[in-house]
Amino acid sequence: MRKTSVRGPGTAGGERVLILSAGVGSGHNSAAAAVQQACAERDDIAEVQVLDVLQVSSVLYRALLGKGYFVLVEGAPWLVEWGYDLSDPPFRRRGPIDPWTRVNALPVIAAIKQFRPTSIVCTHFLPAQLVASLLLRGVIDARTAVVTTDYDFQGLWLPGAFHALFVAREEARVELMALGLPPDRVAATGIPIAEQLDAAPSRNAGEPPMLLISAGASGGDYAVSVVRQTMHMRSPFTATVVCGRNDALRQRMERLVAPAGDRYSVLGFTAEMPQLLRRADLFVGKPGGLSASECMAAGLPMVLVNPIPGQEVRNGDYLMEQGAAVRCNTAATIGWKIDQVLREPGRLQRMQAAARRTGRPDAAADVLTGLLEGPSRPLVVTRAAQKTILGASEQRLVASDLKGPSSLVRLVDSGAGSTVAVLQAEEVGDLQNRYGTPDGELVLRRGQAPVSLRWEARRLLRAMLQGDDALPVRVEGLSAPPHLVAG
């Protein structure tokens, strides 16, 4: 997915939506495609464009971020887990984008300027961080959304400026509010997936359960081992094995299952995955964020194998917590594990019901609604506030527990009622000295400070004012525990 553009049914004055992704695996681009599909259902969107930011970067940059990640997954999974944990605290890196990334971002910035979006949706943290810097520099004034693509929230996804942040589950929303993010800027919508079929195809109750076995993005020996172990199962079943674009793996699978007759069906790349998800009774594969979300929306429970350390392990933890999955930690017991699920009376049906409860099939539409009908001004988190949020995260504190000059406060747009900034308490005094009115109110003004503003204050005002000369705001502390705020 390099760049695609579609005109919607809206008029020339409608929304122009730019969706930015990064092709590290297929999930981020799949989420982008799902949001694009949802755009077609809205009459207020005139044009939508999808851009994979890695496809317009240098070959070396694309190879290191895209292919390099999977090389590490295969050869040094412990390093992937270490990197995930290291980058998990929010705002661990608060400085500007590094020079190499900035150079590779130049084509993306040019594409943004050429398209002139009114709204930008980011389904990967790389474009999310870039768009935040453009907001703060005044390069763009579009509404911006960050859409996470795993069930657990990772701090890399939290930029210093955005309009809306959409997470996969309520616990992630509670976590962000505990760190000081305002509830009007964070929503738990689920992960955007393609539009689901209207109804699952009817199945004959007398047919054996159907397994849908996915080889994953890399496939290989582990996938072969999984299928081999299912051949030792005692329970009746049929299985469809999906090998994707790996033709060598497909041929290897076909030779492996040939003695089993028509019990197994082996496929390469297929556009019929939504139908397969609806027909199957149990999914066997890795818990990628998009794969898991598609299964849950289809009411399809999962047997989890070979998860990538970090996000996929955490995805699996959540699915097992919901009762919609079991995990097998070694391929040698996969047949036994599936047998346990199929042989226990009512267990498969209970897992299917749990999957249906967990699924969020309307996530893509909810993301668009939340962005386009949400606050028009961005939320800005100052550098000082970012430092406080990082410290609170590392000390396992909620924002309302913080005291003193480094504690957090919020600036709220007095007219719209939306939060426009999170900052340290000591920063408020400086603003009040400059912009306080005789009646005790606070009105931020463009270019009317009695003395010149520091760089941080200038970028804060530039982002919040967005072309207006003045913005009345009120200061609010964090007096209530964030988890008590209604959703």
Side-chain angles (χ1 to χ4, degrees), residues 76-297:
W78 60 269
L79 188 58
V80 175
E81 184 174 23
W82 175 81
Y84 185 92
D85 292 339
L86 182 67
S87 57
D88 196 21
F91 298 123
R92 179 177 286 280
R93 175 177 178 169
R94 298 184 303 278
I97 297 174
D98 65 85
W100 193 35
T101 299
R102 185 176 296 279
V103 169
N104 280 277
L106 292 177
V108 181
I109 296 173
I112 293 173
K113 292 179 178 179
Q114 181 179 9
F115 185 67
R116 296 176 291 105
T118 59
S119 298
I120 301 176
V121 178
C122 300
T123 62
H124 191 277
F125 59 82
L126 276 177
Q129 298 291 350
L130 171 63
V131 167
S133 71
L134 298 180
L135 269 177
L136 291 169
R137 287 159 47 199
V139 176
I140 61 173
D141 60 1
R143 296 182 193 231
T144 63
V146 181
V147 183
T148 63
T149 55
D150 286 294
Y151 283 109
D152 221 45
F153 183 82
Q154 188 188 24
L156 274 176
W157 286 83
L158 187 56
F162 58 92
H163 287 72
L165 178 59
F166 299 101
V167 294
R169 56 172 172 150
E170 187 63 23
E171 184 175 344
R173 179 175 178 270
V174 171
E175 174 189 355
L176 287 167
M177 289 190 295
L179 293 174
L181 273 290
D184 60 316
R185 298 297 186 145
V186 184
T189 56
I191 300 170
I193 59 173
E195 186 178 357
Q196 297 294 292
L197 302 177
D198 291 336
S202 59
R203 286 183 53 82
N204 188 330
E207 291 180 351
M210 173 186 161
L211 308 181
L212 180 58
I213 305 175
S214 171
S218 54
D221 292 342
Y222 200 95
V224 172
S225 180
V226 167
V227 173
R228 181 179 290 115
Q229 291 304 314
T230 64
M231 299 176 73
H232 299 300
M233 287 172 51
R234 293 178 294 170
S235 303
F237 72 95
T238 61
T240 298
V241 185
V242 180
C243 300
R245 300 185 187 277
N246 191 332
D247 289 336
L249 177 62
R250 177 179 57 80
Q251 294 171 13
R252 190 177 174 189
M253 287 287 189
E254 288 173 341
R255 291 193 298 269
L256 175 65
V257 302
D262 60 358
R263 166 172 278 191
Y264 290 86
S265 173
V266 180
L267 304 176
F269 175 78
T270 175
E272 303 299 316
M273 207 58 187
Q275 290 85 345
L276 292 174
L277 291 171
R278 305 291 280 187
R279 270 203 314 271
D281 295 286
L282 193 61
F283 179 95
V284 183
K286 297 160 65 65
L290 269 291
S291 297
S293 297
E294 289 169 346
C295 286
M296 296 303 101

Side-chain angles (χ1 to χ4, degrees), residues 252-372:
R252 190 177 174 189
M253 287 287 189
E254 288 173 341
R255 291 193 298 269
L256 175 65
V257 302
D262 60 358
R263 166 172 278 191
Y264 290 86
S265 173
V266 180
L267 304 176
F269 175 78
T270 175
E272 303 299 316
M273 207 58 187
Q275 290 85 345
L276 292 174
L277 291 171
R278 305 291 280 187
R279 270 203 314 271
D281 295 286
L282 193 61
F283 179 95
V284 183
K286 297 160 65 65
L290 269 291
S291 297
S293 297
E294 289 169 346
C295 286
M296 296 303 101
L300 180 62
M302 305 178 73
V303 177
L304 310 177
V305 296
N306 200 29
I308 294 174
Q311 69 270 24
E312 288 193 355
V313 170
R314 296 193 186 192
N315 288 342
D317 290 342
Y318 173 68
L319 297 174
M320 290 187 291
E321 182 182 292
Q322 301 306 304
V326 296
R327 184 167 67 206
C328 189
N329 293 325
T330 171
T333 60
I334 188 70
W336 175 84
K337 197 84 171 189
I338 298 173
D339 262 334
Q340 292 293 104
V341 173
L342 299 182
R343 291 165 68 88
E344 182 179 326
R347 185 176 183 183
L348 180 61
Q349 290 72 28
R350 291 192 298 272
M351 291 178 66
Q352 289 170 338
R356 286 190 291 271
R357 290 193 301 270
T358 306
R360 302 291 293 271
D362 299 323
D366 292 341
V367 163
L368 286 175
T369 298
L371 175 63
L372 299 181

